[in-house]
Amino acid sequence: MMFSKSREAVLIIILFGLLGFSADSMAECARDTIRDLVAQGKTKSAIADFCDMEISDVNSALKTKPIKHDEPSLSGKLVSGTPVGACGCWGAVPPGTTQPHQSCESGYAVATPCPTYCPMGGYQWRGVCQ
């Protein structure tokens, strides 16, 4: 049985509606968006309406703590967690081994495994400021 293109389009729209892929089901806002709306002076009920969420979801998003990023270093050196080299097969090194590194604020880098294996066995690694 042949359908015209308009009938096929209508059937696809109905199918997506039945499966729950409507625009309303994807309208929830991210935590940062909710925080921005609060900073703009919006009420929790207005945010819930705007984001198509329950007020309890807005409250729980506001209760979670934002991710704290390391403050930039005033010394001009690299802060903790900054990679100091590319991942590579630099030889066998136990993870967590520290080595002196002048670029790091702490003065040390730690050997950190990368998610790639070396052709001769083992894993790639790189130094990361401690």
Side-chain angles (χ1 to χ4, degrees):
M1 181 163 119
M2 295 287 286
F3 287 110
S4 68
K5 290 188 181 209
S6 62
R7 284 186 183 168
E8 288 177 5
V10 169
L11 287 174
I12 290 172
I13 292 171
I14 291 171
L15 180 63
F16 275 89
L18 292 174
L19 292 176
F21 293 114
S22 65
D24 290 341
S25 68
M26 298 181 195
E28 290 190 3
C29 296
R31 181 184 63 206
D32 293 337
T33 304
I34 294 171
R35 291 181 189 276
D36 290 342
L37 291 170
V38 168
Q40 294 172 10
K42 305 287 185 193
T43 64
K44 291 179 183 178
S45 61
I47 294 169
D49 290 340
F50 177 79
C51 296
D52 194 29
M53 300 170 72
E54 298 292 325
I55 292 178
S56 60
D57 294 334
V58 174
N59 286 333
S60 65
L62 292 173
K63 287 180 184 176
T64 58
K65 294 181 179 180
I67 298 169
K68 185 177 178 183
H69 300 286
D70 288 336
E71 295 296 322
S73 172
L74 298 176
S75 66
K77 294 191 175 192
L78 302 173
V79 296
S80 177
T82 305
V84 293
C87 289
C89 298
W90 312 119
V93 175
T97 302
T98 58
Q99 60 189 16
H101 205 286
Q102 296 176 353
S103 300
C104 298
E105 191 173 49
S106 67
Y108 291 93
V110 62
T112 306
C114 299
T116 309
Y117 290 101
C118 295
M120 299 302 289
Y123 52 87
Q124 293 187 10
W125 65 274
R126 68 177 169 190
V128 176
C129 287
Q130 192 175 28

